[in-house]
Amino acid sequence: MSAEAVEKRSFGIAAAEEESAALIEQDVARGLENFAYTPDHVAGPGADIDPTQITFPGCACIKTPCHPGTCSCLRHENNYDDNLCLRDIGLEAKYAKPVFECNVLCHCGEHCRNRVVQNGLQFCLQVFQTDKKGWGLQTLEPIPKGRFVCEYAGEILGFSEVQRRIHLQTTHDPNYIIAIREHIYNGQVMETFVDPTYIGNIGRFLNHSCEPNLLMIPVRIDSMVPKLALFAARDILPGEELSYDYSGRFLNQISSKDKERIDHEQLRKPQLRKPCYCGAPSCATFLPYDSSLYCPLGKPDTS
């Protein structure tokens, strides 16, 4: 995420969330990255559901481990393998599948294999300043493919508030707002808007890449408000910058019709496009652009 005129310094993020918050409070950016740290989503203006409320019932797995078919949290298959790696990840996967984890109301213990994202950071990460992209996030230790890395947490917003904040941005301001759209059934789409600009976690420092090493998956634990969990899409070496595809298309199939529409949207308002500095061989030159967030206030873009 871009943040110009910041001093070239870095700071580490330990595996424990408490240690992470303490390190961030050192304010190595000297006030230029002014935000409140939170490890989880918080309700923002226009949010329909408070993300801190527990609305999912727990499973009744007491004497036996949680298994598909018997555990109400695992409808079809296990989410993770014995090494806590997300299953069905990589180029062989056709699309990102939603994940439901056990929660605090479940009768299974804290060592249940279906509890991964809720356990927080497990790897030592470091925020650093890149040459052209402002702040970035890198790992200080190897991360196996499929392991959970971090969340993208922030304020859960309503669409009107998203538009209001977008229209207040200048062309030099970084945009942290992300829109997650999940296709459920009968053509219905569930939208979740997250903004870590003012309240967020280390996920806000992740940069875009056209060939990312992270994959974002909606993970639900306590309610229908998803945690935006980032998993390693491949084995990641120490010192590598962590990145994901801002468009959400990475490892998700896209029809030729949708691709044509997206390409058209990206050409409509070139003044809003920002250059991409990911350096990947397949770099698209510009960062992904979501026209629905930039349409006139109160009028969704249906073109």
Side-chain angles (χ1 to χ4, degrees):
M1 293 295 183
S2 61
E4 298 181 0
V6 291
E7 184 181 0
K8 288 193 174 181
R9 300 183 64 180
S10 63
F11 57 97
I13 303 295
E17 294 284 359
E18 294 80 3
E19 296 178 16
S20 307
L23 287 166
I24 289 177
E25 287 173 359
Q26 294 177 10
D27 193 15
V28 297
R30 296 183 178 180
L32 293 175
E33 283 291 328
N34 187 20
F35 74 100
Y37 183 86
T38 176
D40 302 302
H41 291 322
V42 297
D48 295 329
I49 306 175
D50 184 346
T52 63
Q53 291 183 343
I54 302 174
T55 59
F56 281 174
C59 68
C61 303
I62 301 177
K63 297 181 179 180
T64 58
C66 294
H67 288 300
T70 59
C71 177
S72 59
C73 300
L74 295 170
R75 298 299 178 89
H76 303 293
E77 58 185 3
N78 287 317
N79 294 316
Y80 310 105
D81 62 20
D82 293 337
N83 297 314
L84 304 181
C85 294
L86 185 69
R87 302 178 68 232
D88 298 328
I89 191 172
L91 295 178
E92 68 274 8
K94 295 182 179 180
Y95 54 86
K97 299 178 181 179
V99 173
F100 291 82
E101 288 193 1
C102 294
N103 59 41
V104 295
L105 297 182
C106 292
H107 289 80
C108 57
E110 60 181 13
H111 299 295
C112 172
R113 196 172 68 182
N114 195 36
R115 298 176 183 269
V116 172
V117 173
Q118 60 195 269
N119 290 329
L121 298 172
Q122 301 296 314
F123 297 98
C124 191
L125 310 179
Q126 183 183 61
V127 176
F128 72 105
Q129 192 187 8
T130 66
D131 292 333
K132 295 182 178 181
K133 298 176 289 186
W135 292 110
L137 187 65
Q138 64 185 359
T139 176
L140 299 182
E141 56 185 306
I143 302 177
K145 175 182 176 181
R147 285 296 300 273
F148 168 66
V149 178
C150 69
E151 287 184 47
Y152 192 85
E155 291 182 275
I156 300 295
L157 303 177
F159 182 66
S160 296
E161 177 64 15
V162 169
Q163 287 188 300
R164 189 190 71 82
R165 295 188 182 189
I166 286 287
H167 281 78
L168 289 176
Q169 294 178 0
T170 69
T171 55
H172 301 291
D173 291 331
N175 175 43
Y176 296 97
I177 300 175
I178 186 170
I180 298 297
R181 297 182 176 90
E182 300 174 86
H183 297 265
I184 42 182
Y185 60 91
N186 295 333
Q188 294 183 343
V189 177
M190 180 179 297
E191 293 185 317
T192 304
F193 302 100
V194 179
D195 182 11
T197 303
Y198 308 110
I199 306 174
N201 73 335
I202 58 168
R204 74 195 296 280
F205 296 107
L206 289 166
N207 284 306
H208 164 82
S209 176
C210 298
E211 296 181 14
N213 50 22
L214 298 180
L215 172 65
M216 181 176 284
I217 301 289
V219 175
R220 289 177 168 84
I221 302 174
D222 297 321
S223 72
M224 282 303 294
V225 180
K227 292 180 176 292
L228 306 186
L230 291 137
F231 294 85
R234 58 170 174 79
D235 292 336
I236 305 175
L237 299 175
E240 278 196 64
E241 180 178 1
L242 302 172
S243 60
Y244 71 102
D245 185 345
Y246 285 3
S247 72
R249 286 188 285 171
F250 180 55
L251 297 188
N252 285 297
Q253 288 185 329
I254 183 170
S255 66
S256 57
K257 181 179 179 180
D258 285 341
K259 184 179 187 304
E260 181 180 350
R261 175 183 58 79
I262 293 172
D263 292 340
H264 174 68
E265 289 177 350
Q266 294 178 345
L267 294 173
R268 288 174 58 191
K269 298 181 179 179
Q271 72 275 15
L272 296 177
R273 305 302 308 284
K274 296 181 179 181
C276 177
Y277 298 113
C278 73
S282 63
C283 181
T285 308
F286 293 99
L287 293 176
Y289 169 71
D290 188 343
S291 65
S292 67
L293 303 182
Y294 292 86
C295 60
L297 289 174
K299 296 181 179 180
D301 189 350
T302 57
S303 60

